[in-house]
Amino acid sequence: MSNNNNGVAIVPEHLAIIMDGNGRWAKKRILGTSRGHRAGVEALRTVLRAARARGVRYMTVYAFSSENWKRPSDEVSALMALLKRYLANEVAELKQEGVRLSFIGRRDRLGDDIVAMIEAAERDTADREAFRLNLAVDYGGQWDISNAARLLAEEVAAGRLSPSDINESTVHHHTALSELPAPDLLIRTGGDVRISNYLLWQSAYTEFYFCDTLWPDFGAADLDAAIDEFATRQRRYGGRTEDAVC
Ligand code: FPP
């Protein structure tokens, strides 16, 4: 693990993850896709524990994208059932461990039962501060930005905001996760090198890490490798470091 000049480990404060590869993991084992997603939940448990142990404070994972509705209906049902089981089985333990659970994404297309469970989980863990787990469910980065635009338009229409007040800061405050620092590191497993409509606004200066490991196989050692790579990155945020040569 790399340290900064003060001997403190360089760790992303906010880690985002695209947990890709569940389907291929299952196919390799001649299992149904839903078994892959179940294994994906196990990996999430492992990585959450490892991330906390390494000093990550916030983790935002892509559990179901706006586009995942296009999948076969039995797969969508299996993912929704898995989410319900996760909420039913894990919230008490997360709460006990000091984890605050939050959800980002649309809620109007989810079943009433899931929305009720999401709201209960958020309410039950709202005062926990040791770690924050954000689950992106029916989330899309383009939706997030257009939703911010709609909210701002409503404020303009109501006479509470002038169009000239709309800037990066006002848009930001209407996007998901605006109360948290932006993700420092985004990991995508499963071999594809794209962002798939995840955290488009929030990842402006996020470091990306892509690896071939399928999500259910991703464990603490893989997380260490990603964090070690992150620690070598020079983050300039569009500025210039003293030793940069041009
Ligand atoms: C991508 O793998 C993964 C998803 C679409 C869902 C990710 C969900 C989980 C890890 C489990 C759900 C989490 C909770 C908390 C209930 P893929 O199916 O696209 O894999 P493939 O590219 O190999 O087909």
Side-chain angles (χ1 to χ4, degrees):
M1 193 118 324
S2 305
N3 295 334
N4 67 13
N5 292 340
N6 301 321
V8 177
I10 300 171
V11 170
E13 184 179 24
H14 187 170
L15 172 65
I17 311 182
I18 300 178
M19 308 178 288
D20 196 16
N22 297 343
R24 279 164 287 161
W25 182 93
K27 201 168 176 186
K28 267 173 47 181
R29 289 162 177 78
I30 325 173
L31 296 169
T33 311
S34 61
R35 284 291 299 279
H37 293 314
R38 265 163 56 191
V41 174
E42 283 300 320
L44 176 58
R45 269 190 209 106
T46 303
V47 171
L48 174 63
R49 209 173 305 122
R52 288 192 62 185
R54 278 153 189 75
V56 173
R57 290 270 293 121
Y58 313 106
M59 201 165 110
T60 303
V61 300
Y62 214 1
F64 191 87
S65 80
S66 312
E67 288 72 34
N68 286 154
W69 295 110
K70 293 181 204 154
R71 295 200 172 196
S73 62
D74 58 340
E75 185 178 349
V76 170
S77 304
L79 278 165
M80 291 298 153
L82 205 54
L83 177 59
K84 278 202 254 182
R85 199 173 325 145
Y86 183 79
L87 289 170
N89 295 342
E90 311 266 333
V91 174
E93 194 178 327
L94 291 171
K95 182 178 175 180
Q96 202 182 7
E97 290 175 355
V99 178
R100 177 174 175 184
L101 198 56
S102 296
F103 288 78
I104 58 170
R106 290 178 63 165
R107 298 196 182 176
D108 58 316
R109 301 192 292 192
L110 299 174
D112 291 345
D113 49 350
I114 294 193
V115 173
M117 292 177 87
I118 284 175
E119 288 174 354
E122 289 187 328
R123 211 174 32 243
D124 283 356
T125 61
D127 63 350
R128 303 295 130 146
E129 291 180 351
F131 191 84
R132 171 97 166 246
L133 174 64
N134 305 303
L135 291 181
V137 175
D138 198 3
Y139 176 85
Q142 292 176 339
W143 164 80
D144 195 356
I145 295 167
S146 59
N147 187 55
R150 185 180 55 76
L151 294 169
L152 287 164
E154 284 172 5
E155 288 182 32
V156 170
R160 290 195 299 271
L161 187 76
S162 156
S164 61
D165 291 332
I166 296 177
N167 53 33
E168 290 92 328
S169 172
T170 47
V171 174
H172 180 76
H173 283 100
H174 290 78
T175 53
L177 305 176
S178 62
E179 73 281 19
L180 299 182
D184 301 289
L185 173 65
L186 188 153
I187 296 174
R188 181 179 186 136
T189 62
D192 285 329
V193 183
R194 57 174 169 261
I195 190 167
S196 297
N197 199 17
Y198 198 36
L199 303 176
L200 300 180
W201 178 271
Q202 297 81 351
S203 63
Y205 281 102
T206 297
E207 297 295 327
F208 288 7
Y209 179 86
F210 298 98
C211 65
D212 291 334
T213 309
L214 303 176
W215 174 248
D217 291 327
F218 192 90
D222 302 283
L223 180 67
D224 278 346
I227 292 177
D228 282 350
E229 161 75 28
F230 169 78
T232 68
R233 303 275 177 94
Q234 256 198 6
R235 304 187 75 191
R236 292 188 296 277
Y237 300 93
R240 197 183 298 294
T241 52
E242 277 165 27
D243 56 352
V245 180
C246 57

